[in-house]
């Protein structure tokens, strides 16, 4: 029945003749009325009064309000909807929608199923709908649909599950067989892109839902959501919690969803291959990883982006027990080359951010490998040593009693002699033996643990890469050095390890998580190739100057100077870098080194000072990190930018509105818990008190996926502080992205905010503040310069203290001898 008019004395709805209506409300039958809604009332009361005045026979609990974009109106956003005069719709409540969708899912009729899944994608992100859907066993039904469907139906179902997993509850009972099904979908290269994209995102979310990152205190968790999801897991069952591992900005998790993680997913990846003919015992790449890396070259840029995000998630969350295997798998698949190729083809801001994160993860991995001692009982280490020895093709000594440290690839081992020594399967040199094996490859001694002590697995990787990539060259230089008198030999393996040390210092591999590169460094991703070039330079200089064993440190200093010179600009062409290493004249290198030495004190190159610099760098990074986040908690004014046309293909900003803001200014402030970004929109800049009283709206910080720059334009006739009057855009001006603009992309798609900073200082503070809130890297040159300047100032102050006390800094720090007995105790000091 269509009402003639709404005539009520309620505070929620007033007659049109007495007060100005706030919103237009339409019904399912197509009727539309004007109503004045009181923003102080709960939504349930507003719906009840609407149903009463519209003579709706059904119970008001069966109805809900949505805006014209189908966003559910709740007590949280009702005030904003009234303020913006949004057109509202009286529609079925989440309870009715959940019941209807469950019936269609269980019916499995193709057309109805697709429609139900399409609606489920939208509604599943709403707490009210999700609670009702999960109460009725919706998760299990959705997983069953994914298990048996294909094509677009499967794509809709996966997208619905992806949206459900953006919540921190409701998906605690995903069984391992379903994860295996997910891996199977990703492993199939013929699957549609719209199937693989949500599947990739779901697997990424499972990797990140690691029990190591769950908080021990769940007092603030959403109990009703837990009961709806059936999250009855006890604290003890989650296991392995590490409160410090929870990132700032991440919401306190519901207990049940944090029970997957890297180990579970990676084990299932390997198990998927083991079920195939031939299995996977480490001899070949894991199939799903191989497919994901290949998708980095996909013609669909968003598919490539999702694949990059999954690889980053695996690298960031790899556990101590399996990170070496993951690194080995990715190296076999040449993921570095795939990323370099991707960045050369696509230059969107989203990709740039993901590439920097990938680079930071690789730096953390490189540091980790450099500080991991080689384990001679490890199959990986044995295979690497076998490969190096076989590539050298050295003449074998006469067969004799098996001795320790004999390479397994030597004729004696291949002839069937058994391993002897400590029982770990590795041959060691017997005391007093005159046999030498590893010394022939250019080590100082036969003790490989000692030889690789400073470079660890990273040094072994580089030496193996040289032996495999340039096998003929490797054999030639090893045999050539052996033909020389011992005092004139350049120890090849020792020189290789020295180059690893110099490259590590150049790229500042000081500690995991501290990437100091605000820009993409393609030559770091080609670490092994650069290592080979630098080693060739080292050997060439050795020959040109006729160096002796005592000149090793002198040649190393020349190599350090040349590395810094050749890699001074990562945007240079590869052939130019090759020329600097392979064809530069010794005289020019020496003259440049002398000029450098005139400008710096030799004290700065001593190992203890380099170690001190690394420590001060970490301290400076943490100081700047806390300062940047402090800027976020203090707050700042921004201009609400208008999204500008994007030049990069395949941008993920699918749901960005081009509507011009009626309130062009926005003040943002991060709360003390670093969980929410509170804000207020305003026509003009107004005084904002400390605290959050003046900031009625907020953004969930855990929803921030990426921070991308250069995305939006300044609205017409708005004057930020840094812009000259002549540059202020006017009405009708084309939309040109401001260099001080950035957008906060959401994990649920679209943009959380499009902002333009008033000046470069605010821009740098907030861009890096957001990045450091999400992780541990920064992207602006200003922040990088601050960290470097603080490090240098701190180093000079420390050295002034030493020079004032006339302390001599040694070139090498020798460890003190071990105590002769254990009969000692620590003194107590008051």
């Amino acid at each position: 029945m269509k009402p003639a008019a709404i005539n009520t004395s309620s505070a929620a709805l007033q007659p049109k003749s007495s007060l100005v209506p706030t919103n237009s409300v339409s019904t399912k039958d197509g009727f539309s009325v004007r109503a004045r809604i009181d923003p102080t009332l709960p939504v349930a009361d507003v719906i009840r009064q609407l149903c009463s005045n519209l003579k709706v026979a059904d119970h008001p609990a069966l109805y809900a309000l949505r805006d014209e974009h189908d966003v559910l109106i709740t007590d949280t956003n009702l005030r904003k909807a009234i303020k913006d005069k949004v057109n509202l719709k009286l529609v079925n409540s989440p309870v009715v929608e959940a019941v209807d969708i469950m019936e269609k899912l269980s019916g499995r009729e193709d057309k109805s199923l697709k429609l139900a899944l399409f609606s489920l994608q939208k509604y599943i992100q709403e707490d009210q709908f999700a609670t009702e859907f999960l109460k009725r066993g919706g998760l299990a039904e959705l997983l069953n649909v994914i298990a048996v469907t294909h094509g677009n139906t499967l794509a809709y179902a996966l997208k619905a599950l992806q949206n459900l997993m953006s919540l921190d509850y409701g998906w605690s009972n995903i069984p391992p067989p379903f994860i295996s099904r997910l891996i199977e979908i990703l492993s199939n290269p013929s699957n549609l892109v719209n199937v693989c994209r949500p599947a990739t995102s779901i697997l990424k979310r499972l990797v990140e839902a690691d029990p190591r990152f769950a908080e021990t205190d769940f007092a603030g968790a959403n109990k009703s959501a837990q009961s709806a999801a059936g999250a009855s897991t006890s604290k003890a069952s989650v296991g392995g919690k590490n409160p410090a591992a929870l990132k700032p900005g991440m919401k306190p998790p519901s207990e049940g969803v944090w029970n997957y993680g890297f180990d579970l997913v990676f084990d299932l990846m390997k198990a998927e291959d083991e079920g195939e003919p031939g299995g996977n015992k480490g001899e070949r790449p894991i199939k799903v990883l191989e497919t994901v890396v290949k998708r980095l070259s996909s013609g669909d840029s968003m598919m490539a982006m999702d694949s990059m995000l999954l690889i980053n998630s695996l690298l960031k969350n790899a556990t101590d027990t399996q990170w070496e295997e993951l690194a080995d798998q990715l190296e076999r698949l040449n993921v570095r080359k795939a990323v370099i190729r991707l960045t050369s083809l696509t230059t969107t801001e989203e990709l740039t951010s993901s590439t920097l994160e990938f680079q930071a993860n690789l730096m953390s991995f490189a540091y980790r490998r450099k500080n991991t001692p080689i384990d001679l009982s490890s199959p990986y280490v044995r295979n690497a040593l076998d490969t190096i020895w076989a590539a050298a093709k050295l003449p074998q000594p006469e067969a004799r009693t098996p001795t320790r440290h004999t390479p397994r690839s030597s004729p004696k081992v291949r002839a069937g002699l058994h391993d002897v020594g400590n029982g770990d399967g590795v041959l060691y040199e017997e005391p007093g033996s005159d046999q030498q094996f590893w010394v022939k490859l250019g080590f100082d001694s036969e003790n490989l643990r000692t030889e690789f002590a400073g470079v660890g697995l990273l040094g072994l990787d580089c030496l193996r890469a040289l032996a495999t990539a340039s096998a003929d060259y490797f054999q030639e230089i090893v045999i050539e050095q052996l033909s020389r008198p011992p005092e004139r030999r350049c120890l090849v393996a020792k020189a290789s390890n020295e180059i690893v040390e110099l490259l590590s210092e150049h790229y500042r591999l000081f500690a995991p998580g501290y990437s100091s590169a605000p820009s993409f460094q393609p030559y770091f991703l080609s670490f092994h190739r650069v290592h080979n070039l630098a080693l060739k330079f080292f050997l060439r200089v050795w020959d040109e100057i006729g160096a002796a064993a005592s000149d090793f440190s002198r040649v190393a200093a020349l190599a350090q100077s040349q590395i810094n010179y050749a890699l001074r600009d990562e945007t240079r062409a590869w052939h130019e870098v090759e020329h600097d290493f392979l064809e530069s004249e010794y005289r020019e290198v020496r003259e440049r080194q002398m000029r450098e030495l005139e400008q710096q004190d030799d004290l700065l190159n001593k190992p203890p000072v380099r170690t001190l610099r690394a420590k001060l760098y970490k301290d400076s990074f943490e100081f700047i990190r806390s300062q940047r986040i402090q800027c976020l908690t203090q707050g700042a004014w921004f201009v609400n930018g208008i999204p500008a046309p994007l030049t990069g293909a395949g941008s993920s900003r699918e749901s960005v509105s081009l509507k011009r803001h009626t309130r062009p200014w926005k003040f943002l402030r991060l709360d003390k818990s670093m969980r929410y970004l509170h804000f207020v929109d305003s026509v003009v800049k107004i005084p904002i008190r400390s605290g959050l009283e003046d900031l009625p709206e907020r953004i969930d910080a855990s929803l921030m996926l990426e921070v991308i720059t250069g995305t939006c334009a300044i609205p017409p006739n708005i004057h930020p502080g840094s812009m000259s009057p002549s540059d202020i855009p006017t009405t009708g001006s084309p939309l040109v992205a401001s260099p001080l603009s950035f957008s906060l992309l959401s994990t649920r798609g679209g943009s959380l905010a499009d902002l333009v900073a008033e000046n470069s200082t605010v821009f740098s503070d907030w861009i890096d503040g957001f990045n450091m809130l999400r992780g541990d890297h920064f992207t602006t040159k200003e922040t990088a310069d601050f960290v470097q300047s603080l490090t240098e100032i701190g180093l000079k102050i420390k050295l002034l203290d030493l020079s004032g006390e006339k302390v001599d800094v040694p070139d090498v720090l020798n460890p003190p001898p071990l105590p002769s007995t254990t009969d000692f105790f620590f003194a107590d000091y008051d």
Side-chain angles (χ1 to χ4, degrees), residues 260-490:
Y260 304 101
F262 175 86
D263 280 339
L264 173 64
V265 174
F266 196 63
D267 286 341
L268 290 173
M269 285 180 174
K270 294 185 290 185
E272 187 72 18
D273 278 12
E274 290 171 0
E276 296 185 357
N280 188 350
K281 303 298 183 182
E283 293 84 1
R284 60 187 178 85
I286 296 174
K287 185 177 179 181
V288 64
L289 283 181
E290 184 176 14
T291 307
V292 169
V293 172
K294 286 181 179 178
R295 288 197 177 110
L296 292 176
S297 303
S298 170
D300 187 291
S301 60
M302 291 311 302
M303 182 71 258
M305 175 65 65
D306 289 337
S307 300
M308 172 75 85
L309 292 174
L310 176 58
I311 292 171
N312 278 338
S313 182
L314 290 169
L315 288 170
K316 183 177 292 185
N317 294 282
T319 57
D320 292 338
T321 56
Q322 304 205 75
W323 70 269
E324 289 184 40
E325 185 174 1
L326 174 65
D328 183 43
Q329 287 283 340
L330 293 177
E331 286 297 328
R332 291 185 188 187
L333 296 170
N334 210 350
V335 66
R336 299 167 185 252
K337 183 176 180 180
V339 172
I340 292 174
R341 182 175 182 275
L342 176 61
T343 55
S344 67
L345 297 176
T346 311
T347 57
T348 60
E349 289 292 338
E350 299 98 315
L351 179 63
T352 300
S353 177
S354 295
T355 302
L356 289 177
E357 184 176 358
F358 175 78
Q359 181 174 278
N361 289 332
L362 281 191
M363 285 187 171
S364 296
F365 258 62
Y367 174 84
R368 208 168 179 179
R369 292 185 79 79
K370 182 175 181 290
N371 288 274
T372 300
I374 64 169
D375 178 6
L376 295 176
S377 64
S378 164
Y380 174 82
V381 173
R382 287 184 169 195
N383 291 334
L385 293 174
D386 277 352
T387 301
I388 294 168
W389 181 267
K393 298 180 182 179
L394 291 177
Q396 301 293 341
E398 297 180 2
R400 51 172 292 170
T401 303
T403 58
R404 299 190 292 177
H405 250 304
T406 305
R408 294 188 302 120
S409 57
S410 72
K412 293 191 290 181
V413 175
R414 292 198 298 268
L417 294 178
H418 298 290
D419 293 350
V420 297
N422 66 351
D424 64 359
V426 182
L427 298 173
Y428 294 88
E429 189 65 43
E430 291 179 347
S433 170
D434 58 355
Q435 293 283 7
Q436 290 186 333
F437 297 95
W438 298 113
V439 168
K440 293 181 180 179
L441 289 182
F443 291 103
D444 271 330
S445 69
E446 294 291 304
N447 190 335
L448 293 183
R449 291 188 180 91
T450 301
E451 294 297 323
F452 285 104
V455 292
L457 288 175
L458 183 61
L460 182 63
D461 292 341
C462 290
L463 189 59
R464 182 178 68 168
L466 174 66
T468 53
S470 308
D472 293 340
Y473 173 75
F474 182 70
Q475 178 191 8
E476 177 186 341
I477 59 175
V478 169
I479 294 178
E480 179 184 351
Q481 298 304 321
L482 283 175
S483 66
R484 298 178 180 179
E487 66 276 4
R488 289 292 178 182
R489 293 175 186 171
C490 177

Side-chain angles (χ1 to χ4, degrees), residues 370 455 495-508 527 534 538 555-561 563-564 610:
K370 182 175 181 290
V455 292
S496 172
N497 289 344
E498 181 66 21
I499 294 297
V500 172
E501 287 276 16
L502 297 177
L503 287 174
S504 299
E505 183 177 349
H506 175 79
Y507 286 114
R508 299 192 178 104
F527 193 92
F538 190 105
V555 178
L558 284 169
Q560 181 182 32
S561 173
I563 286 172
N564 293 334
R610 286 154 59 180

Side-chain angles (χ1 to χ4, degrees), residues 506-531:
H506 175 79
Y507 286 114
R508 299 192 178 104
L509 300 183
F510 295 145
Y514 292 91
S515 169
S516 60
S519 59
F520 182 51
Q521 295 180 314
Y523 294 136
F524 173 75
L525 269 61
S526 303
F527 193 92
H528 293 159
R529 293 180 67 189
V530 174
H531 166 270

